[in-house]
Amino acid sequence: MEILNYNSSSTRSKLGEKRIDTSLAIALVLLMSLVPIVPLTIKVTIGITMVVITVLSWRRPAFYLGLFGSICLAIMITRIPYSQLLFALAIGIYLLIISLMPSLKSGLAWFRWGTFGWDVKLLCFGAATISGLALVGWFFWVRPNINDIIRQFVPDYPLWVLIFGGILFAMVNAAVEEVAYRGIVLSALIESHVPSSLALLLQAIAFGTIHINGFPRGWIGVGLATIYGFIMGVIRLRSGGLFAPWAGHVLADLVIVAIVFEAARLL
């Protein structure tokens, strides 16, 4: 009888620990999702809350999620807008901290090549085709003002330089966003015992909100990016690594590059 009671108590304790892991991870991702769409003053409040939750998450899978989110927000509060530079800096600092602390090596468990079989290839090309059509349809239906993007990414350079730069942008942008959302965020959610379907949705929402001022933009853009982020998450889980979602993401970003170049030509 005592052994049965001990086993029952141990099981309840493990379930309780899993619920704590799950709750902390969900709370962190929801806070990350709010950051791009709230004023600076609220960003500061969210940042403080994230730091507190990150501290409470020490030695739990959610810690890595909180660490990365806190780094991103700290950089953003310095008024560096969302960009590839922001994520690149955040990822660099994240990797530096983990490399300096051997006890945190598990925070790199997501860094895997994965498989790239025919089923995954079909998913990648299918996702790229559908997302490409959606991006073109969104652009010509909504007719958004993207002059800010054109000024930032289409300087008065020779065409061959712009083409090379566009390809490089697609590769880098896909890399930093996939590492952030399908790498750090999704892996932390799964490791925190969040059900796969919910983990896919949460990371997709966080990915979607960063597009409020991106491409696609506005709330329709957030919705489209959320759907796309969900699909990339499915590819990430199916392939078991980051290469496949990165490849699919590059193809979609090349469509964006082509649309921006065409819009710049027509100005």
Side-chain angles (χ1 to χ4, degrees):
M1 181 65 71
E2 289 181 1
I3 293 176
L4 289 175
N5 288 337
Y6 173 79
N7 289 338
S8 177
S9 176
S10 176
T11 300
R12 286 196 298 270
S13 177
K14 289 179 180 178
L15 288 174
E17 288 294 313
K18 287 184 178 180
R19 291 193 186 100
I20 293 173
D21 287 345
T22 300
S23 299
L24 292 172
I26 290 175
L28 285 166
V29 176
L30 291 176
L31 289 172
M32 289 175 65
S33 301
L34 289 173
V35 169
I37 58 178
V38 298
L40 180 61
T41 52
I42 299 180
K43 282 183 174 64
V44 174
T45 303
I46 290 176
I48 295 171
T49 306
M50 286 183 64
V51 169
V52 171
I53 296 177
T54 302
V55 172
L56 294 175
S57 302
W58 176 247
R59 295 191 179 279
R60 298 179 184 273
F63 173 79
Y64 303 105
L65 179 57
L67 175 63
F68 179 69
S70 298
I71 293 170
C72 286
L73 189 53
I75 296 173
M76 192 177 293
I77 288 175
T78 63
R79 296 189 179 276
I80 295 178
Y82 164 75
S83 64
Q84 294 70 33
L85 174 61
L86 185 150
F87 270 149
L89 282 174
I91 291 169
I93 294 171
Y94 175 88
L95 295 177
L96 178 62
I97 292 173
I98 288 180
S99 66
L100 293 175
M101 300 181 68
S103 62
L104 299 180
K105 292 297 183 182
S106 59
L108 287 176
W110 48 266
F111 194 70
R112 294 191 295 269
W113 182 268
T115 62
F116 201 55
W118 281 108
D119 57 335
V120 175
K121 290 177 183 177
L122 288 174
L123 277 173
C124 288
F125 286 112
T129 300
I130 294 171
S131 63
L133 292 173
L135 286 167
V136 172
W138 169 79
F139 184 76
F140 286 102
W141 177 49
V142 177
R143 296 287 180 178
N145 184 341
I146 60 168
N147 289 341
D148 57 321
I149 295 177
I150 293 173
R151 286 194 299 270
Q152 184 176 0
F153 293 105
V154 191
D156 187 18
Y157 290 163
L159 180 60
W160 71 269
V161 175
L162 293 177
I163 292 174
F164 176 79
I167 295 172
L168 182 62
F169 165 82
M171 296 173 66
V172 172
N173 182 69
V176 295
E177 290 186 349
E178 290 307 313
V179 165
Y181 290 96
R182 263 63 71 183
I184 298 170
V185 175
L186 181 56
S187 294
L189 286 167
I190 296 295
E191 290 295 320
S192 298
H193 313 290
V194 178
S196 296
S197 56
L198 180 57
L200 287 169
L201 178 62
L202 288 171
Q203 63 84 28
I205 291 172
F207 176 74
T209 57
I210 64 172
H211 289 81
I212 189 70
N213 294 312
F215 192 112
R217 58 181 43 188
W219 287 108
I220 295 177
V222 168
L224 291 174
T226 297
I227 296 171
Y228 183 74
F230 188 93
I231 295 172
M232 290 297 102
V234 170
I235 294 175
R236 161 69 175 86
L237 294 184
R238 184 66 177 268
S239 67
L242 289 178
F243 178 75
W246 172 79
H249 201 144
V250 169
L251 294 176
D253 280 353
L254 287 174
V255 175
I256 294 176
V257 169
I259 293 173
V260 172
F261 281 1
E262 180 62 16
R265 186 185 69 82
L266 296 175
L267 282 180

